[in-house]
Amino acid sequence: MNYSFYMYFTEMLVRDGAQKTAEYARAMGFSSVEMLESIGRDTLIPDIKTAEEIRRVFAEYDLTFACYSVGCDVYGNPASEDALVRHAELAAALGCPYLHHTLKTGLRMTADSPETDAVLEEVTAAAIRIANRAKPLGVTCIYEDQGMYANGIENFGRFYREVHRVCDNTGVCGDFGNILFVDEDPAAFLSAFAPDILHVHVKDYLRKNFADVIPTGGWYPTKHGQYLRDTTVGAGIIDIPACMKVLHDAGYNGAYALELCHPEPFDDGVRIAMRYMDAVAEKL
């Protein structure tokens, strides 16, 4: 399986440089890597020339760039469009086929939060403009169900179908856990969009109900009042085998990026995830 070094990859690349990071990725059993950037700060890769050199170093270790992710709020932020196109240019220089960007982050909605229809209308139009500008670069824009707006099978579908109708260089990032934040089922989401899934983010969560106490220590609220906390793959509530079966049956052959934010040691989590998913894959 093609496992992609996702969480902590960018930090290690900046801190330790390309060669040491590539050595680590290969030693851990990764086949590819994934950048994670954010809008509102300078790009961590300063220019195209640097990106091309990084690509060269990773190629020496037989490592490719599977995806280039950018966390941002496109909604209410017109400047994000130029910034995302700049990231698309860097993705192209890295030899990365996919630019994945968020649309409107945040896990809480209040009485004064914008209406869903207004948010989806604005981010859909922005995503179309960004994808159109990324197309000449040879970059495909992909989207995951995330946050409180473009999440859930219905609302994500409203967004994605319109963007994909207009832009053929678009697809879906199949996330194993984000839909839990709107209290829906990950395998059902993957089934709904299986033909368009081009890249996958793997994670797992613990889930609890807290009565009147808002928890701390990595617990995040869902739409209907439950709480989720990252855990090692296979130890949580996500039906990983069901998710993998959907992808297997759809003929998915892309990367599985390990989005491991759990408090357990990262290296241990990587080994646990790979061992668990390899065992599942053998039974499919």
Side-chain angles (χ1 to χ4, degrees):
M1 293 178 66
N2 178 354
Y3 294 113
S4 191
F5 181 13
Y6 180 26
M7 294 309 299
Y8 309 117
F9 164 72
T10 305
E11 293 92 330
M12 181 177 286
L13 177 64
V14 172
R15 184 187 68 234
D16 298 336
Q19 183 166 339
K20 187 172 181 180
T21 305
E23 290 173 353
Y24 170 84
R26 178 49 65 191
M28 290 298 293
F30 290 109
S31 303
S32 60
V33 298
E34 179 171 353
M35 289 289 297
L36 178 57
E37 280 272 18
S38 65
I39 299 297
R41 68 183 184 196
D42 292 337
T43 58
L44 298 176
I45 297 177
D47 50 47
I48 298 299
K49 183 178 179 180
T50 302
E52 291 172 343
E53 175 60 17
I54 291 170
R55 175 183 181 179
R56 184 193 65 78
V57 172
F58 277 80
E60 291 178 354
Y61 289 85
D62 198 24
L63 292 163
T64 59
F65 281 79
C67 188
Y68 189 120
S69 282
V70 184
C72 66
D73 279 337
V74 171
Y75 178 78
N77 185 14
S80 68
E81 295 182 32
D82 286 342
L84 284 166
V85 173
R86 176 59 175 166
H87 285 296
E89 292 169 348
L90 292 169
L94 290 167
C96 182
Y98 305 130
L99 172 71
H100 159 243
H101 68 84
T102 54
L103 302 163
K104 186 172 185 354
T105 58
L107 297 175
R108 294 185 184 274
M109 296 181 70
T110 63
D112 58 353
S113 294
E115 294 293 329
T116 297
D117 287 350
V119 171
L120 292 181
E121 181 179 359
E122 181 173 325
V123 300
T124 298
I128 289 171
R129 291 191 294 269
I130 294 162
N132 282 335
R133 293 173 67 185
K135 186 172 183 176
L137 301 169
V139 172
T140 293
C141 292
I142 62 174
Y143 318 94
E144 66 182 9
D145 50 324
Q146 196 272 342
M148 291 288 107
Y149 289 94
N151 202 346
I153 292 173
E154 180 180 352
N155 283 344
F156 180 84
R158 288 172 59 193
F159 159 79
Y160 175 69
R161 282 190 293 271
E162 180 59 18
V163 173
H164 191 61
R165 181 185 69 82
V166 178
C167 305
D168 60 2
N169 64 318
T170 54
V172 174
C173 177
D175 190 277
F176 276 20
N178 284 353
I179 204 165
L180 291 174
F181 287 95
V182 292
D183 305 284
E184 295 184 30
D185 177 61
F189 175 84
L190 296 175
S191 295
F193 299 99
D196 293 317
I197 293 174
L198 301 177
H199 185 63
V200 169
H201 285 168
V202 177
K203 60 184 68 166
D204 206 349
Y205 288 116
L206 302 175
R207 180 168 58 197
K208 285 188 178 182
N209 293 312
F210 291 88
D212 299 320
V213 178
I214 297 177
T216 58
W219 290 94
Y220 299 98
T222 74
K223 184 176 181 178
H224 298 296
Q226 297 183 317
Y227 286 83
L228 302 172
R229 197 210 80 182
D230 293 271
T231 189
T232 53
V233 172
I237 61 166
I238 297 174
D239 191 343
I240 303 288
C243 291
M244 292 178 64
K245 186 176 189 308
V246 170
L247 295 169
H248 174 269
D249 291 350
Y252 178 76
N253 61 359
Y256 290 83
L258 301 186
E259 190 174 355
L260 308 180
C261 302
H262 49 65
E264 294 82 5
F266 179 73
D267 287 10
D268 291 346
V270 169
R271 296 185 185 99
I272 289 168
M274 290 182 177
R275 186 164 57 244
Y276 178 82
M277 294 179 67
D278 283 346
V280 172
E282 288 179 1
K283 297 178 182 178
L284 295 177

